Short mmCIF file of all heavy atoms in Angstrom, two decimals:
data_model
loop_
_atom_site.label_atom_id
_atom_site.label_comp_id
_atom_site.label_asym_id
_atom_site.label_seq_id
_atom_site.Cartn_x
_atom_site.Cartn_y
_atom_site.Cartn_z
N GLU A 1058 116.71 87.20 108.79
CA GLU A 1058 116.75 86.70 107.41
C GLU A 1058 117.31 85.28 107.35
O GLU A 1058 116.86 84.46 106.54
CB GLU A 1058 117.58 87.66 106.55
CG GLU A 1058 116.85 88.96 106.25
CD GLU A 1058 117.73 90.01 105.61
OE1 GLU A 1058 118.99 89.84 105.65
OE2 GLU A 1058 117.19 90.99 105.08
N LYS A 1059 118.27 84.97 108.21
CA LYS A 1059 118.78 83.59 108.28
C LYS A 1059 117.70 82.63 108.77
O LYS A 1059 117.81 81.42 108.53
CB LYS A 1059 120.00 83.54 109.20
CG LYS A 1059 121.23 84.24 108.64
CD LYS A 1059 122.37 84.24 109.63
CE LYS A 1059 123.59 84.96 109.06
NZ LYS A 1059 124.71 85.06 110.04
N ALA A 1060 116.69 83.16 109.43
CA ALA A 1060 115.60 82.34 109.95
C ALA A 1060 114.40 82.31 109.00
O ALA A 1060 113.28 82.00 109.41
CB ALA A 1060 115.17 82.87 111.32
N ASN A 1061 114.63 82.66 107.73
CA ASN A 1061 113.62 82.54 106.68
C ASN A 1061 112.54 83.61 106.74
O ASN A 1061 111.39 83.38 106.38
CB ASN A 1061 112.95 81.15 106.69
CG ASN A 1061 112.25 80.84 105.38
OD1 ASN A 1061 112.79 81.06 104.31
ND2 ASN A 1061 111.02 80.36 105.46
N PHE A 1062 112.92 84.82 107.17
CA PHE A 1062 112.02 85.96 107.09
C PHE A 1062 112.55 86.96 106.07
O PHE A 1062 113.77 87.10 105.90
CB PHE A 1062 111.88 86.65 108.45
CG PHE A 1062 111.15 85.84 109.47
CD1 PHE A 1062 111.84 85.14 110.45
CD2 PHE A 1062 109.77 85.75 109.45
CE1 PHE A 1062 111.18 84.38 111.39
CE2 PHE A 1062 109.09 84.99 110.39
CZ PHE A 1062 109.79 84.29 111.36
N LEU A 1063 111.64 87.63 105.41
CA LEU A 1063 111.99 88.75 104.53
C LEU A 1063 111.98 90.00 105.40
O LEU A 1063 110.94 90.36 105.95
CB LEU A 1063 110.96 88.85 103.41
CG LEU A 1063 111.13 89.97 102.39
CD1 LEU A 1063 112.40 89.76 101.57
CD2 LEU A 1063 109.91 90.01 101.46
N VAL A 1064 113.15 90.66 105.52
CA VAL A 1064 113.27 91.76 106.49
C VAL A 1064 113.87 93.01 105.82
O VAL A 1064 115.07 93.29 105.95
CB VAL A 1064 114.13 91.35 107.71
CG1 VAL A 1064 113.96 92.38 108.83
CG2 VAL A 1064 113.74 89.98 108.21
N PRO A 1065 113.06 93.77 105.09
CA PRO A 1065 113.56 95.02 104.54
C PRO A 1065 113.80 96.03 105.66
O PRO A 1065 112.94 96.23 106.52
CB PRO A 1065 112.43 95.49 103.63
CG PRO A 1065 111.50 94.33 103.49
CD PRO A 1065 111.66 93.52 104.72
N VAL A 1066 114.97 96.64 105.67
CA VAL A 1066 115.27 97.70 106.63
C VAL A 1066 114.93 99.03 105.97
O VAL A 1066 115.37 99.30 104.86
CB VAL A 1066 116.75 97.66 107.07
CG1 VAL A 1066 117.07 98.84 107.98
CG2 VAL A 1066 117.05 96.34 107.78
N THR A 1067 114.13 99.83 106.65
CA THR A 1067 113.63 101.06 106.07
C THR A 1067 113.74 102.20 107.05
O THR A 1067 113.62 102.00 108.26
CB THR A 1067 112.16 100.90 105.63
OG1 THR A 1067 111.65 102.17 105.22
CG2 THR A 1067 111.30 100.37 106.77
N SER A 1068 113.97 103.40 106.55
CA SER A 1068 114.01 104.57 107.43
C SER A 1068 112.61 105.09 107.73
O SER A 1068 112.45 105.95 108.59
CB SER A 1068 114.84 105.69 106.78
OG SER A 1068 114.25 106.09 105.55
N GLY A 1069 111.60 104.55 107.04
CA GLY A 1069 110.23 104.99 107.25
C GLY A 1069 109.31 103.84 107.61
O GLY A 1069 108.29 103.62 106.97
N VAL A 1070 109.66 103.12 108.69
CA VAL A 1070 108.91 101.92 109.03
C VAL A 1070 107.45 102.22 109.39
O VAL A 1070 106.55 101.40 109.14
CB VAL A 1070 109.59 101.15 110.18
CG1 VAL A 1070 109.51 101.91 111.50
CG2 VAL A 1070 108.98 99.76 110.35
N MET A 1071 107.17 103.41 109.92
CA MET A 1071 105.80 103.70 110.32
C MET A 1071 104.86 103.85 109.12
O MET A 1071 103.65 103.66 109.25
CB MET A 1071 105.75 104.94 111.21
CG MET A 1071 106.54 104.80 112.52
SD MET A 1071 106.17 103.28 113.45
CE MET A 1071 104.49 103.59 114.00
N ARG A 1072 105.39 104.18 107.94
CA ARG A 1072 104.56 104.17 106.73
C ARG A 1072 103.95 102.79 106.54
O ARG A 1072 102.78 102.65 106.14
CB ARG A 1072 105.38 104.50 105.49
CG ARG A 1072 105.90 105.90 105.39
CD ARG A 1072 106.63 106.11 104.06
NE ARG A 1072 105.73 106.01 102.93
CZ ARG A 1072 105.75 105.02 102.02
NH1 ARG A 1072 106.61 104.03 102.14
NH2 ARG A 1072 104.91 105.01 101.00
#
Side-chain angles (χ1 to χ4, degrees):
E1058 287 170 345
K1059 291 176 180 176
N1061 198 46
F1062 291 101
L1063 179 65
V1064 193
V1066 175
T1067 173
S1068 61
V1070 68
M1071 299 310 291
R1072 292 184 66 248

